[in-house]
Amino acid sequence: MSATRSPSSTLSSRPQAEQAGQPTPRSRSRVLWFSCVAHALHDGYTDMIYVLLPMWQAEFGLSYGALALLRGIYGGTMASLQLPAGWLAQRFGHKAVLASGTLLAAIGYAAAGASGSLVGLCLALALSGSGSSTQHPLASGAVSRAYGLDARRARNALGIYNFSGDLGKAALPAAVSLLVAFMPWRHALWVIAALGCVVAAALALWMPSIAPGNAPAKGPASGQDRKRRETSGTSATGNNARTGFNLLFAIGVLDTAVRMGLLMFLPFLLTAKGASTPVIGTALALVFIGGAAGKFACGWLGARVGVIGTVLATEGCTAVLIVAVMLCPLVPALVLLPLLGVMLNGTSSVLYGTVPELAPADHTGMGTEKAFALFYTGTIGAGAIAPVIYGFLGDHIGVQGATLAAALTALAIYPLAIALRAHLVPGKP
């Protein structure tokens, strides 16, 4: 015997999450993968500048200081506009702002390809950096909101998201290097800009919109999370959560400083061991490959063994491995570099995954985006400032002394991480 289903029975058979306006597994997956594509593109846009610097030096007759300024223009605009990107998302929606920012970044590189002067190139890089400022806070915020307050799944998803950025850092610079072998660098930039326009259109048309706010997914686990927040006094609006976020922010800034300090001095350390230029290039590739694996692996690890334990392990191992690379002969040092890359980059995955837990709520429901914007402003800003500080230190105490200072900076994270433990939701990893 069969009966025709009534509209009400059909409605009741739909997933409860869809009826309640919560993201479905399919929409969560789409948010994650579109965010990963955006992350890969924008991080690739950021790092392909290194490939272009020698060409700009030859064409415009620039000094090394001027080349550093070009890189600083892009990174500076990207860092300074993270918070305004969050404010725009409150008004126009995260998907619209992310797609528009991606288009703006692509237009900036197209303008760089059309520029005939150094001033035009600087303006084009500032335009592209402004567009890229939207990606980190909005894409990471979208991923965290799609997975709600389920800490394990959110950290896993953010680990995948962070891993995608490293793929972009490897892919786009390599693509530009290949393109300039067959065409002028200006034409190569137009090809890469066209790719950005395609990604922007895909984001605008097919990326799902997730309602603002730190709304947890339905189910027993999220109910327990809410109860823990209430009983532990770590609600997102409380002073305790704000203190926890400040500690997390400080850890992120110092972690970035360690990474930038080591990368600045690593070529000089290897040169002193007798490494040639090709060997140094290979060594940096080993670090970056390890870093890509570290972001993914430590995001997975942090969801299982805990945020604090993972941070303490990665920072401690970072300090030990930095000293080991300093003291070892060339070949053993090269063997250690992939593992050092895992530790250098791995911490960031668990830090980013903890931002939603400590994000302050506000009446707009965009607390997560604001928290990510502030966090990325600090880490990207540290990435710009730390090499300058370590550089001055290296001038006074030498390369090995400054590298040792980077290792000690990693250990300085220990008391901050231990203090952060009290501000995390009890029972969460």
Side-chain angles (χ1 to χ4, degrees), residues 25-295:
R26 177 181 173 84
S27 65
R28 286 194 191 102
S29 179
R30 289 174 62 197
V31 167
L32 174 59
W33 293 115
F34 275 107
S35 298
C36 287
V37 170
H39 196 187
L41 177 78
H42 285 272
D43 274 20
Y45 272 7
T46 301
D47 278 16
M48 73 184 195
I49 291 178
Y50 295 117
V51 177
L52 297 164
L53 289 179
M55 303 168 202
W56 293 339
Q57 182 183 46
E59 179 150 342
F60 296 104
L62 303 177
S63 66
Y64 291 110
L67 291 174
L69 179 62
L70 289 178
R71 178 63 180 84
I73 287 173
Y74 191 100
T77 52
M78 182 171 63
S80 62
L81 295 177
Q82 301 277 311
L83 285 171
W87 299 335
L88 289 174
Q90 294 179 28
R91 184 181 181 108
F92 301 107
H94 81 276
K95 184 173 78 168
V97 175
L98 178 59
S100 299
T102 302
L103 180 61
L104 187 63
I107 291 173
Y109 266 115
S115 63
S117 67
L118 180 59
V119 173
L121 181 60
C122 290
L123 292 175
L125 290 176
L127 186 66
S128 187
S130 300
S132 285
S133 68
T134 62
Q135 187 275 134
H136 281 116
L138 302 187
S140 54
V143 171
S144 68
R145 286 190 286 109
Y147 287 85
L149 293 177
D150 186 337
R152 287 180 181 272
R153 297 173 68 186
R155 288 186 185 124
N156 280 339
L158 287 167
I160 295 171
Y161 163 80
N162 283 306
F163 176 73
S164 69
D166 286 275
L167 293 181
K169 290 177 182 180
L172 278 190
V176 171
S177 299
L178 181 63
L179 288 172
V180 296
F182 299 99
M183 63 182 71
W185 67 266
R186 297 177 184 276
H187 296 173
L189 287 189
W190 293 339
V191 172
I192 298 298
L195 174 63
C197 292
V198 171
V199 172
L203 292 171
L205 292 174
W206 296 304
M207 182 176 181
S209 294
I210 303 297
N214 299 326
K218 297 290 183 182
S222 62
Q224 292 171 4
D225 289 339
R226 288 193 299 271
K227 184 176 181 180
R228 286 172 184 151
R229 282 184 177 269
E230 292 167 1
T231 58
S232 64
T234 56
S235 67
T237 58
N239 291 329
N240 202 19
R242 278 190 286 272
T243 302
F245 179 80
N246 291 338
L247 288 168
L248 189 74
F249 179 88
I251 292 172
V253 167
L254 291 179
D255 177 63
T256 302
V258 173
R259 185 162 57 253
M260 294 299 105
L262 175 69
L263 291 176
M264 179 177 179
F265 292 118
L266 183 59
F268 301 101
L269 291 172
L270 297 176
T271 298
K273 297 177 189 294
S276 64
T277 300
V279 171
I280 292 173
T282 302
L284 290 172
L286 291 173
V287 174
F288 294 142
I289 290 169
K295 282 191 173 182

Side-chain angles (χ1 to χ4, degrees), residues 348-388:
S348 62
S349 289
V350 293
L351 297 180
Y352 298 146
T354 309
V355 169
E357 182 178 331
L358 297 173
D362 64 6
H363 68 282
T364 65
M366 300 290 285
T368 302
E369 276 78 1
K370 288 182 178 179
F372 271 116
L374 183 59
F375 192 83
Y376 277 112
T377 297
T379 56
I380 294 173
I385 296 171
V388 178

Side-chain angles (χ1 to χ4, degrees), residues 379-421:
T379 56
I380 294 173
I385 296 171
V388 178
I389 297 174
Y390 284 120
F392 281 116
L393 194 60
D395 289 336
H396 288 86
I397 65 175
V399 171
Q400 288 208 346
T403 306
L404 181 60
L408 293 175
T409 303
L411 295 180
I413 292 174
Y414 266 55
L416 297 174
I418 293 171
L420 178 63
R421 189 193 302 273

